[in-house]
Each structure stands twice: as structure tokens, then as C-alpha cells.
Amino acid sequence: MFTIGDFARHGRVSVRMLRHYDATGLLRPAHVDPATGYRYYAAAQLTRLNRVIALKDLGFTLQQVQDIGPLYDELFQLLATAGVTPTGPGVAYYEDAPEGDGRIRVHAAVQVSAAVQVSTPLQDSAFQVLDLPPLAQAATIVHHGSMDSVLPTAQTLARWIDGNGYQSAGCPREINLECPDDRDDWVTELQAPVTRG
């Protein structure tokens, strides 16, 4: 276990930022001493911290970083209410926000039957049934494990794109191939749209 100061140094963030992440529920300490109130972090939490920092660097707000996981919970609850059964994997995809201020919009999606009609619960929400356009060309990699530890896999994909004469052509997609209860057993395909450099 690391003290908050040591964890901040390893994660290259300020103690103040870690306290803020704790207050917002984005990254809670592994242990808080009940007598002193001192926060302690586990080494495994560095991957979660690195993901938060990477998403912030990509233009996500802290609220968006915090909301990515619960988006699927909301989606599946809404689909159940509407009587819609998913027929394929979940897909997270990202796009530039229409405001043009550098922010990213996050979407949680799941494949459903083409015969699904948009019902009242779907019309009254931020959810909709649509055809996700195919990617003309993509570089892909399969990540094994929790999405909290995806950063090295994403970096490997980025290095491959750069080293093989391609350029990024938009925001990536994440296809949830296997999502058992234990997140360390997840299998996710990262798809990065590319063009020849």
C-alpha cells in the first residue's frame, strides 16, 4: 500500500488531484485509516489512475470519465424496460462533440435485432436505435483484462499505426467480445479508424 503522497508521485499527479478524484468517486483509496483519515492506495490502482489521466488528455471531462461504465447499466435497464433483447456485443464509440471545443462525446451501444421498433421509453431518452456506420479501414488489437488496464494495449496499437505508415482517421471503438463478472477476464477489441499516411 502507498500513502497518498507516494501514490501521487508514482502516478505523477498532485495529492490535491487524488483527493478530488476521491471526493468525486472517480478513484477511491484502497483503504482509509479510520483513526487518522489517511488514505492508502494499492499499486494495482495505478492502471486506473493512468486511464483517467489518458482520457482527460483526450479531451474527456472528469464527469465523462466517471460516466462511461454506468452508461451501459443505463442502456441495459432501458432496453429491458422496452422489452428489447441485445443480440450482439456492446460497443463503446467516441466522436468529437458538436460544440467544436475539443471535447469528446461518449456512446455506449449494443447490437439489437434489425426488426426492433423505437418504443416510447427509447424516444423519451438520450438513447436511440441506429445503424452504426462501418469503418472503411481500421487497425485493431485485442485487449485481455479490465478496461482500467487498457492503456498499454492502446499504446501498442498507436505505435503500430505510426510505425506502419498509417494515420488516425477518427476516434476508436471498443467492441466487448467477452464480459464475464470478473473484469480481469474481459476481452475487448480496440478498433482505430486509419488512412494511409
Side-chain angles (χ1 to χ4, degrees), residues 138-140 155-166 194:
T140 67
Q155 290 171 339
T156 299
L157 181 59
R159 282 193 300 272
W160 186 92
I161 291 168
D162 186 51
N164 286 278
Y166 290 92
V194 294

Side-chain angles (χ1 to χ4, degrees), residues 4 25 93 96 156 162 196:
I4 191 170
Y93 67 99
D96 294 327
T156 299
D162 186 51
R196 268 290 180 192

Side-chain angles (χ1 to χ4, degrees), residues 27-196:
L27 180 64
R28 301 246 187 235
H31 174 73
V32 177
D33 186 297
T36 63
Y38 290 165
R39 296 169 173 94
Y40 295 92
Y41 293 83
Q45 290 181 284
L46 281 170
T47 56
R48 169 82 177 163
L49 177 61
N50 288 337
R51 185 165 192 231
V52 168
I53 293 166
L55 290 171
K56 278 183 55 192
D57 288 347
L58 288 172
F60 289 88
T61 66
L62 286 181
Q63 188 62 47
Q64 287 173 315
V65 173
Q66 190 171 9
D67 288 347
I68 290 174
L71 281 176
Y72 280 106
D73 296 336
E74 292 176 37
L75 175 61
F76 286 117
Q77 286 176 355
L78 186 63
L79 291 175
T81 300
V84 176
T85 303
T87 60
V91 179
Y93 67 99
Y94 311 89
E95 63 183 2
D96 294 327
E99 296 83 12
D101 58 4
R103 288 188 288 171
I104 304 289
R105 181 171 284 169
V106 181
H107 299 275
V110 66
Q111 184 177 336
V112 297
S113 168
V116 167
Q117 298 296 314
V118 177
S119 61
T120 303
L122 290 172
Q123 290 172 341
D124 294 339
S125 71
F127 298 90
Q128 57 184 320
V129 176
L130 56 85
D131 289 326
L132 190 60
L135 299 176
Q137 189 174 32
T140 67
I141 191 169
V142 175
H143 172 71
H144 295 267
S146 166
M147 291 305 287
D148 289 341
S149 64
V150 75
L151 192 57
T153 305
Q155 290 171 339
T156 299
L157 181 59
R159 282 193 300 272
W160 186 92
I161 291 168
D162 186 51
N164 286 278
Y166 290 92
Q167 294 178 352
S168 175
C171 296
R173 295 179 181 176
E174 300 163 2
I175 313 299
N176 305 315
L177 302 176
E178 296 178 27
C179 295
D181 289 339
D182 186 346
R183 292 174 179 243
D184 290 334
D185 294 332
W186 282 12
V187 179
T188 308
E189 181 179 342
L190 308 180
Q191 299 179 344
V194 294
T195 58
R196 268 290 180 192

